[in-house]
Structure formats: structure tokens, C-alpha cells
Amino acid sequence: MSITVLGAGAFGTALAVSIGKERSVTLWARDAGSLAENRESARLPGIELPENTRVVADLDTALNADTVLFAMPMQSLSQFLRSISVSLVDKSLVACCKGLDLTSLQGPATLLAERCPDSKAAILTGPSFATDIAKGLPTALTLACSNEEAALKLQKSLSTTNLRLYRTTDFVGAELGGALKNVIAIAAGIVMGAGLGDSARAAVMTRGFAELSRFATVRGARPDTLMGLSGFGDLVLTCTSDQSRNFRHGFALGKGQATDTNVTVEGVATALAVLNHVRNTEIESLLPITTMVAGVTQGQISVANAIHALMSRPLKEE
């Protein structure tokens, strides 16, 4: 089975490194020339591309594969799919990004399935940092695919010595767990940046997971998926490590510092997308952390006022 990774950011390159250590893989990059020559990405300094990893700039060449991994920001995926002229019929298309489309509220795998109905869509998600994968450190991820036969083939072809994949057919749960945990990670970062302490972070993580579960189950996610790697597992990782872009973004906001506009922070768009979807519905009042994250990241409310609003909510049962 031939494999292509589209996108030479940190995560896409890390996947190409991990897979390339054991089998052939093609990595599509806009700056393919320098990457192919130097065999090292500025996103992953000190990590060398294996000999089995071929770097190309031509998209048509890259798409000449049985399995295509889409490792690009979620908000770029829709437009990118519209730009593809090569047929994707009968290919396995694996989303390797997290988030929700601002317009449709679709997750990446759902978007792939809708735009490419004659392909086999899947999503690879879960608690992972690109540097850990590239260094060969043990990492477990969820592979969600509704086609059982395709899932088995993908699980076998994408698993490596350090990358262990678990299958599920719950598309929605895997997508929403991976997307919504980024919102809670921003909140956890704000808490730590504002100096509120680990107890407050634990409360945000716990209540944030309750919010995540409320929204995702209404959308059709299975509770067991949300309790797994793509939900609870990913939430724990991104809320407790400064390797997380979303956590760092929240930390800077909590500190009152400027944020890096060159870094993709999917949780910002996801919080906005969720609130736009639930506005004026019963579930809106059940998402207080998401509401505050959206307000703070959009500059509509201060960190101090957001904290006061959350602590002043009516007392209730858990």
C-alpha cells in the first residue's frame, strides 16, 4: 500500500519520519527543494528524514498513492480539497488535523467523506506531539473509519514500532474529542498563565470534559470514544504540557502577553464555531468554559471578567 503525507508541518513530517523508518512514504511539501536536499525540517530540528521518505512538490505526483494523509490546518482543508484536480476515487483518505470547519461545523473526516464520497475516509487523532513521534517515543492514537475492511488495512499500514493505532467506527466522537479538547486546553493555559494554580486547572479540565461530552453526545458521539485516546487522553495531554500550542496560547492570554499570530491555534476557531452553532439553543448555557474561551480569544471579555463570570455561576449538582 503506497502512502503519501500532504503537509510538511511538524505533525506531517513526524508521521513521514515514523512511517519512513519502516516502509516507503511520500511527503508533499511546498518547500520540497530545501527539505529534500537537507533532509531535515526546521519544524523538527535534529530529526533527519529516513531514506524511505521521498519529498516532492508536485501535488499530482503526491496523490498517486493508495493512502493519503491530510496533515494541514483544519481551516485550510476545505479550500485545499477544492484545489485538487486528481481523482481521489477508491483511495483511503486520512485526516490528521483537529478542529471544526467554521462554516459547516464539520470535522475533517466528515468533510473528506462529503467531498470525496467514492473514497474511504478516516481520521487519525489522539494524544500526541510531533516531536515525540519523530523521536520514536511510544505513542498511541485512535483511527476512526466507518469501513471496517479499510480500517484494518490502515491500522496495519500506518502502525509502526513506536506508533500504536486503535480502531473505532465512531467518526463523530473521534473528530469532536480532538477538536473540543483544544478549547479546554486554551482555558487550562489561561488558568495557569493567570497564576490560579493546579487545583483550578484540574477543575477546568474536569468541567471542560463535561462540556465536551455534552456537546459531542448531542451530535452523536459515543461516550466510550470520548473516554478514550481521542477524547479524555488528548485532553489530559494538551491541558498539562507547554508543548501544546493551544495551552501556550491560553497561557500567554492569562499572563496578559501578546500571542504568536504565526502559530496555528485550532481551539480559537473551534470555540467560535461551536458557539455560533449552539447560539440561542438550550445547550448554549451548558457550555460556560467554551463561551468564556471564545470571548477572551476574540477580545470581547477580559481574563479577569471571564474568571469572575465562571466563579459566579449558580451553585449546582455535579
Side-chain angles (χ1 to χ4, degrees):
M1 180 183 289
S2 53
I3 302 170
T4 283
V5 179
L6 297 179
F11 194 68
T13 303
L15 289 173
V17 168
S18 182
I19 296 169
K21 289 177 180 177
E22 300 182 16
R23 57 188 70 94
S24 296
V25 61
T26 296
L27 176 62
W28 177 76
R30 299 184 189 279
D31 58 345
S34 59
L35 185 56
E37 181 180 352
N38 299 327
R39 307 298 294 175
E40 184 178 315
S41 169
R43 304 289 184 89
L44 295 170
I47 304 295
E48 186 175 346
L49 293 178
E51 290 184 7
N52 280 337
T53 300
R54 178 180 65 147
V55 183
V56 302
D58 182 68
L59 184 56
D60 289 356
T61 299
L63 290 173
N64 186 26
D66 302 312
T67 300
V68 181
L69 278 59
F70 291 78
M72 57 195 61
M74 175 62 206
Q75 300 310 321
S76 303
L77 182 59
S78 181
Q79 180 60 39
F80 184 82
L81 288 172
R82 282 194 287 268
S83 72
I84 294 175
S85 58
V86 176
S87 173
L88 298 178
V89 172
D90 290 333
K91 295 182 184 296
S92 291
L93 309 180
V94 185
C96 299
C97 49
K98 300 171 184 177
L100 299 174
D101 183 76
L102 272 172
T103 304
S104 65
L105 205 71
Q106 292 176 318
T110 300
L111 196 60
L112 287 174
E114 181 183 272
R115 298 290 177 83
C116 311
D118 296 318
S119 66
K120 296 173 280 293
I123 183 171
L124 187 63
T125 182
S128 59
F129 289 134
T131 51
D132 291 346
I133 293 175
K135 289 177 180 178
L137 300 178
T139 304
L141 297 173
T142 294
L143 175 70
C145 182
S146 59
N147 185 309
E148 186 68 23
E149 182 181 355
L152 285 165
K153 290 180 179 178
L154 285 170
Q155 183 181 38
K156 183 176 181 180
S157 63
L158 299 180
S159 293
T160 66
T161 302
N162 70 295
L163 200 56
R164 181 176 175 83
L165 272 53
Y166 288 83
R167 297 190 318 278
T168 180
T169 57
D170 185 8
F171 242 30
V172 176
E175 287 181 322
L176 291 180
L180 299 176
K181 59 87 187 177
N182 284 331
V183 178
I184 309 307
I186 292 175
I190 290 173
V191 162
M192 298 308 289
L196 302 184
D198 286 320
S199 297
R201 171 164 55 180
V204 163
M205 290 171 63
T206 306
R207 299 311 303 160
F209 183 71
E211 282 192 25
L212 181 158
S213 299
R214 288 188 201 112
F215 181 80
T217 51
V218 166
R219 298 273 296 179
R222 297 202 311 254
D224 61 307
T225 305
L226 301 175
M227 283 299 300
L229 292 166
S230 58
F232 180 73
D234 214 354
L235 177 77
V236 170
L237 182 68
T238 52
C239 288
T240 58
S241 174
D242 60 8
Q243 286 193 67
S244 164
R245 296 187 302 270
N246 290 277
F247 179 86
R248 290 199 307 268
H249 188 82
F251 190 89
L253 291 172
K255 278 279 190 183
Q257 299 172 345
T259 56
D260 189 346
T261 56
N262 295 318
V263 175
T264 299
V265 183
E266 292 286 10
V268 173
T270 299
L272 195 58
V274 169
L275 281 192
N276 286 341
H277 182 72
V278 302
R279 204 172 302 280
N280 299 321
T281 67
E282 291 182 2
I283 198 172
E284 182 179 7
S285 63
L286 301 178
L287 305 176
I289 295 175
T290 302
T291 300
M292 291 304 139
V293 167
V296 170
T297 55
Q298 299 301 315
Q300 297 169 348
I301 185 173
S302 69
V303 168
N305 286 340
I307 293 169
H308 176 73
L310 288 174
M311 293 301 292
S312 302
R313 281 170 54 82
L315 299 177
K316 54 182 287 189
E317 290 183 349
E318 185 168 22

